[in-house]
Amino acid sequence: CPEIKVNAIILNSVCNLSCAIEKLEKIKPESIVVFGDTDIEGQKVYKKIYDIYGDIAVDFSIEYKEHNCKDFNEYIVKIKTK
């Protein structure tokens, strides 16, 4: 089996974004998947990351916004109870 390397940074608050960006600078990711909230602040987080990293940043909130969920956790709960 191929080796799988995954790095994850969990913000828990938009206040931690600058710290997360510092960490991203050190690990130089090939891709970034952002699981932000679907509110304005969550979208600001994605925009800031996209502005720095461009197309390697993917906004996954689009997936759960389509299901009227405010965040990834709500989305997981919703799809598990179907």
Side-chain angles (χ1 to χ4, degrees):
C1 293
E3 183 178 342
I4 298 173
K5 291 184 179 183
V6 175
N7 291 310
I9 298 173
I10 300 170
L11 295 181
N12 288 324
S13 171
V14 296
C15 298
N16 297 322
L17 180 58
S18 60
C19 182
I21 290 171
E22 286 179 29
K23 300 282 186 196
L24 289 168
E25 289 297 322
K26 291 178 183 174
I27 62 174
K28 307 230 183 286
E30 293 177 12
S31 64
I32 301 169
V33 181
V34 180
F35 292 83
D37 290 356
T38 58
D39 63 4
I40 292 170
E41 291 303 311
Q43 293 306 299
K44 284 180 183 177
V45 167
Y46 171 71
K47 182 175 179 347
K48 176 77 172 179
I49 292 171
Y50 183 83
D51 287 349
I52 295 168
Y53 294 98
D55 290 337
I56 70 165
V58 177
D59 181 6
F60 195 79
S61 73
I62 293 167
E63 178 67 29
Y64 41 95
K65 190 173 189 173
E66 290 176 3
H67 295 273
N68 298 314
C69 297
K70 63 180 173 132
D71 59 28
F72 186 63
N73 184 59
E74 186 177 311
Y75 173 68
I76 293 297
V77 170
K78 189 173 191 174
I79 63 172
K80 276 184 88 173
T81 57
K82 278 189 172 184

